[in-house]
Structure formats: C-alpha cells, structure tokens
Amino acid sequence: IVRFIARGGMGEVYEAYDNELREAVALKTVRASAGVDARASSAFRREVRRARAITSQHVCRVHDLFTHRSSAGTPPVLFLSMRLLNGETLAARIRRLDKLSPEEALPLLRDIADGIEAAHREHIVHGDLKSANVMLTCDRSANISACITDFGLARRIAHAADDTETVTDSAPRGGTPAWMSPEQVEGQPPGPEADIYAFGLIAYEMITGRLPFDGETPEAVARRRLTDPPRPARQFTPKLALPWEHALMRCLDRDPAKRFSTATAFVEAIESGRTRPHRPA
C-alpha cells in the first residue's frame, strides 16, 4: 500500500504497487454493509469478470477481485484491484469551478457517453452513475478526458429466451438517492434507462453547478422526482442554448421510454442543434 486516496459509500480507495504486474494500481475495498459479504463473493467475482469485458478507455479497467481474511476473526474484506487514475473527480471539478461552460462540458460528456455505451453493449448497467464516479485525467498534451469508475460494482442485464431483459441480483443493490432514477426510487432494479437518467443529471450539474431537484435530505430529493418536473437548466444558466435545455429535459423524463435510447444520442442531439422541445406526459 502506497497511500490512502479516498473514502466513499462502498469502501476505501488506496494506491498500491502490484509486485506481479510491476505497476501502480488502485485498490478499492468493498464494505460488507454495502450488500456484499463473504457468502456473495463467488457471485460478485463473476460480475467483476463480466465487467472486465467492457472495452473503453473511458471506463476504469478492473483487474480482479480478492478476499482478505484476517486472523483476528474479523469479517473478511473484499477488495478490487483496478487501473490507477490520477486526477480529480468531476464532482470536485464542478465544486471548484462552480459550473462548466457548454464548450468545456461537451467533450467530457462525449467521453462519458462512450463509456456508458461500451458497458451497455456488454449488458452491464452501472446503476449508481454520478459525477463523483467520473474521474478527469490529463495526458501529456494537457488534454482532459473523463473515465467512469465503479463499473466493476455494477450489475448485469441478462437476456431471457423471450428477449426480455432482467437484472441479475448478484451485485449490490441500491444507489445514491440524489442520483437515482424515478424507477429506482420506486424500488425497481436499474436498467439501461436509469443510466441515461443519471447521465442527464451529470450533464445538468456540469452546466448549472447543481442538481435539478432539492430537498432537506437526499431521500426528500429522490422523492421529489416522482412528483415534480425538473427545474429548467436555463433558470440557472440563462444563456444556455435551447438544444441543451431540450436534451436535458428529455434525459430527465420520469417515463424511461421517453428518454434518449443511448447516451450518444443525447450528445448528438446537442451537437446537431435539432433537438425539439420536450413535452413530458
């Protein structure tokens, strides 16, 4: 272990040196309270291996899953080794700058969309997508790119014989209340449409510096999206172009069927400028 990096809802992240690979990696511990205990480690390992099939430079690569068993009789600790990303989270960038301009936001949203689609092609749903799970890194040419983390903690969509989609239960359930889609708030497992909704929340936060719903508690924020429409982004960014406004409102529709079918479609709608006004039901 080289250094402690951060602590989050799922566990803690450390920089470590892998003596086998001879390179720096990130280690993320997974709390038992997050819904994964020793009995679920075998199923959880299968999900991690499936997540490794995601091929995108905009998704953090997961190497493997391990179990640490202490001789002191404490519960075993699951941890993942993954690509080490040096930079800051998108959430930290937004806090530091208050908001991003559309010109700054669009290339990053394109990166995030690429990562989401790469996962969806492998029938992997993130289910807890948020700005804190997006890392911004800088290459030697000072180009900033976005990379989604924690896809190894996601769940897989299984295609049944009748071509319907079901969500497997071997990965942890739940999510972050302020970032849940309406169907997640109602207790349904997340499908690809939930990731599209969260993608819209990320875009909204980038452009306005805030989320479209507020409340005294995260749970109150989550419940408001079942009854209230999102506040227009132009309320906080008055000069925002209308294609942005219309695309954001479509992403954040309560009805999953009315959202964009892919994250890339959202980006293309903004770039083309041909987005029609969205009229929710």
Side-chain angles (χ1 to χ4, degrees):
I1 302 295
V2 177
R3 66 186 175 98
F4 169 79
I5 296 177
R7 180 177 291 106
M10 291 296 295
E12 298 172 338
V13 182
Y14 300 85
E15 178 182 347
Y17 185 78
D18 189 316
N19 290 318
E20 295 293 331
L21 298 177
R22 296 187 177 183
E23 65 180 40
V25 298
L27 292 185
K28 180 158 190 172
T29 62
V30 183
R31 300 178 191 273
S33 60
V36 181
D37 55 26
R39 293 173 299 177
S41 62
S42 177
F44 194 73
R45 184 183 295 272
R46 288 196 298 271
E47 295 307 311
V48 169
R49 293 194 183 279
R50 289 176 182 136
R52 289 175 61 186
I54 304 172
T55 54
S56 170
Q57 63 179 321
H58 302 298
V59 172
C60 183
R61 179 74 169 173
V62 176
H63 299 313
D64 211 342
L65 175 72
F66 305 89
T67 303
H68 172 73
R69 302 183 187 280
S70 172
S71 58
T74 56
V77 177
L78 294 179
F79 66 95
L80 303 102
S81 64
M82 59 185 70
R83 173 187 167 195
L84 179 65
L85 298 170
N86 291 310
E88 66 178 339
T89 66
L90 177 57
R93 174 69 62 92
I94 295 170
R95 286 196 301 269
R96 184 163 57 81
L97 301 179
D98 183 46
K99 65 176 74 171
L100 279 63
S101 70
E103 293 74 22
E104 293 170 319
L106 193 57
L108 299 178
L109 288 170
R110 196 179 299 117
D111 290 349
I112 299 168
D114 179 90
I116 292 172
E117 295 213 5
H120 288 183
R121 283 195 297 271
E122 298 298 329
H123 313 303
I124 301 289
V125 171
H126 194 290
D128 192 24
L129 198 59
K130 53 189 175 183
S131 56
N133 281 341
V134 176
M135 284 293 298
L136 303 182
T137 61
C138 190
D139 63 19
R140 294 179 179 178
S141 301
N143 298 313
I144 298 175
S145 62
C147 186
I148 304 172
T149 65
D150 281 356
F151 257 116
L153 305 179
R155 50 171 67 86
R156 180 176 175 82
I157 296 291
H159 288 263
D162 60 356
D163 290 332
T164 59
E165 292 184 339
T166 58
V167 181
T168 63
D169 293 324
S170 54
R173 288 191 174 276
T176 305
W179 293 86
M180 285 181 176
S181 65
E183 56 270 27
Q184 285 176 280
V185 176
E186 292 179 326
Q188 302 176 33
E193 301 85 0
D195 283 349
I196 300 300
Y197 187 92
F199 182 59
L201 289 175
I202 289 173
Y204 189 104
E205 186 189 26
M206 293 170 76
I207 292 299
T208 68
R210 65 189 69 205
L211 293 176
F213 301 93
D214 56 17
E216 294 183 358
T217 65
E219 291 73 19
V221 174
R223 288 194 298 271
R224 286 197 63 179
R225 67 198 55 190
L226 299 178
T227 57
D228 300 346
R231 292 174 294 182
R234 283 162 63 95
Q235 178 179 332
F236 308 108
T237 307
K239 295 183 180 180
L240 184 66
L242 284 174
W244 275 89
E245 179 76 38
H246 299 155
L248 287 169
M249 293 302 102
R250 180 173 174 183
C251 256
L252 300 177
D253 198 292
R254 278 195 296 257
D255 184 351
K258 293 185 178 180
R259 299 171 200 155
F260 288 101
S261 58
T262 66
T264 297
F266 169 88
V267 176
E268 291 175 346
I270 294 171
E271 290 177 329
S272 69
R274 293 195 297 267
T275 309
R276 296 179 180 179
H278 176 62
R279 295 180 176 83

